[in-house]
Amino acid sequence: MTDKPTLTSTSGKPYPTNETSETAGPRGPVMMQDHYLMEKLAHQNRERIPERVVHAKGWGLQGEFKVTHDITKYTCADVFSQIGKTTEVLSRWSTVAGESGAADAERDVRGFSLKFYTEQGNWDMVGNNTPVFFIRDGFKFPDFIRTQKRHPKTNMRSPEAMFDFWAGQPESVHQVTILMSDRGIPQSPAHMNGYGSHTFSMWNAAGERHWVKFHFKTQQGHNWLSDAKAAEIIGKTRESYQEELWNMVEAGNFPKWTMNIQVMTEEQALETEYNPFDLTKVWPHDEFPLIEVGELTMNKVPENYFQMVENAAFNPNNIVPGIGFSPDKMLQARVMAYADAHRYRIGTHYEALPANAPKNAKVNHYHKDGSMRFFTNDFGNPNAYYEPNQYEGPVADETVAEPPLRIDPEAVVARFKQEEAEIDYVQPRALYAEVFNDEERDRLHKNMAGGMAPVSDSVKERWLAILKKVDPRYEAGVRKALETGNHGDPSLPVTDDTPLEVAD
Ligand code: NDP
């Protein structure tokens, strides 16, 4: 006898052994009736859910958000209702392109996702470590992601495809410049900012709407890795981010971020030279200064990675009363696509799992049955399974409705024209010419040349022409680094995949 609990099957039947199969005699074959063996092997076969098509490699922590400044004049969201109010948060940071076993220290954009378990349901801030993105229309997203993934024939990553796509999408140059700058390989998730990137809205108790952008500024400082340092780290460990986060939390050195918002009135949004709902644009700080809101502290490693991080399903459509969407086309595509991806990846009732279920709000809905229907929502009466009903089933609360949004009637029928425009070069030019210093520009040239080295001449020239429109020094610097081979270890994997010859 032992004090340890008895091992059982999933139906609760005690296991007689967890070491040997049941056989027909000591030397005979395995009995088909050994359902303990069958259950064990069958469960192993099902231990993985499909990995995310993007953002497959991730690291997560639990923690809390504390309000430090009053923004109730902008929003009636309960999460911001009082200075000092705290809300539990789950974070997941990720790389975009690599598979779930990819090395952490690769040059890539990082996902920066937060789930706030608010008293009005979960609010998910599903952002990146960059304030902009490569494209501004969800129609292009599958094409873009295909260029980041493996080539269908070589089964290797393809710089040719990446730069070919970017060269056909001049608005990408803002994000590519950030990706190839120092911030392209953060030392760890603790050493990078998070941005909601999209424009969202907030509305206050009087029903007044403002457009907002979310900024989470690292308090650990921006630390980044050069290509050479990253290659050295990856040679020693593929899990450098997981190790760093683990060590920080174990040592009580909890990573923190300061949350800020930028605010734009509806009237101002009609007047900006750039489209304030274009995900390839920032809002300049001098016109729209950061307004401090609170502090995020991530202080706990989840007890079980799979349960809390792999199962975590972040949705841009998880907003709460007082926070809303905007006409940002990428955001609108994500509002549909994320929930769809989670239903495929995890299952119909994925939001009933511990990582995703609201902790501080009651869930009442009429979605019944399907996979993972392990919760009860019959509202105390099994007849209350449709609406309207004469029983105690839940009813909608019209007081939480978003204030009406003025829309240009023509916008409803007009497709946005995807044309090259000078406005797409203004902000990358400001970043290159005014924000970066000479050393930063030099490293940018070399990082980009490293990434472009394996690319065909035709793609190189098309991309260099775009850099020239940003700033002639940019084009000249990258061209020189390409010609002299004076660049660090190429950050993007070097493959010999110049376009494949296709036989007639
Ligand atoms: P500011 O001079 O006020 O802002 C420049 C910002 O650049 C800094 O605040 C910092 O953002 C960011 N930055 C510094 N180094 C890097 C880097 N290696 N990669 C990416 N960003 C970096 O000017 P503006 O607000 O007018 O912006 C000028 C340009 O700066 C923009 O065109 C854009 O390219 C870039 N930028 C602007 C941001 C914004 O929200 N306005 C945010 C990030 C970049 P942070 O404070 O967020 O760390």
Side-chain angles (χ1 to χ4, degrees), residues 55-59 92-96 109-113 189 192:
H55 295 274
K57 180 70 187 279
W59 322 272
R92 184 175 184 273
W93 303 283
S94 51
T95 44
V96 179
V109 171
R110 266 64 176 164
F112 194 110
S113 294
M192 63 191 196

Side-chain angles (χ1 to χ4, degrees), residues 97-244:
E99 292 91 357
S100 60
D104 294 350
E106 291 184 352
R107 184 174 295 277
D108 198 351
V109 171
R110 266 64 176 164
F112 194 110
S113 294
L114 303 172
K115 191 180 285 292
F116 295 73
Y117 298 100
T118 90
E119 288 166 41
Q120 295 172 303
N122 294 347
W123 171 43
D124 290 0
M125 212 283 316
V126 198
N128 278 332
N129 71 329
T130 59
V132 293
F133 197 60
F134 300 92
I135 49 174
R136 56 180 158 230
D137 192 321
F139 229 92
K140 281 272 141 201
F141 191 74
D143 297 282
F144 165 63
I145 290 302
R146 208 160 289 134
T147 70
Q148 301 294 303
K149 293 287 185 175
R150 292 172 188 271
H151 186 283
K153 182 164 182 182
T154 66
N155 198 32
M156 292 184 272
R157 302 280 300 283
S158 172
E160 176 79 11
M162 298 176 199
F163 280 94
D164 183 26
F165 179 84
W166 290 332
Q169 294 282 136
E171 75 267 25
S172 298
V173 73
H174 197 182
Q175 174 78 318
V176 179
T177 301
I178 296 174
L179 175 63
M180 296 296 172
S181 78
D182 292 343
R183 290 193 186 182
I185 318 181
Q187 178 189 314
S188 85
H191 299 92
M192 63 191 196
N193 288 347
Y195 303 87
S197 306
H198 299 287
T199 297
F200 290 86
S201 60
M202 280 185 167
W203 74 90
N204 61 18
E208 294 157 343
R209 176 189 286 102
H210 288 84
W211 304 118
V212 295
K213 283 196 182 276
F214 297 106
H215 297 247
F216 291 79
K217 291 231 185 193
T218 173
Q219 293 184 13
Q220 289 65 239
H222 281 280
N223 285 1
W224 43 270
L225 304 171
S226 65
D227 283 341
K229 186 69 188 168
E232 187 190 320
I233 289 173
I234 292 171
K236 291 183 191 147
T237 174
R238 303 173 70 76
E239 319 299 339
S240 52
Y241 281 21
Q242 189 70 23
E243 290 166 11
E244 181 134 7

Side-chain angles (χ1 to χ4, degrees), residues 12-23:
K13 183 176 164 185
Y15 257 43
T17 175
N18 194 26
E19 289 177 25
T20 55
S21 306
E22 185 181 347
T23 53

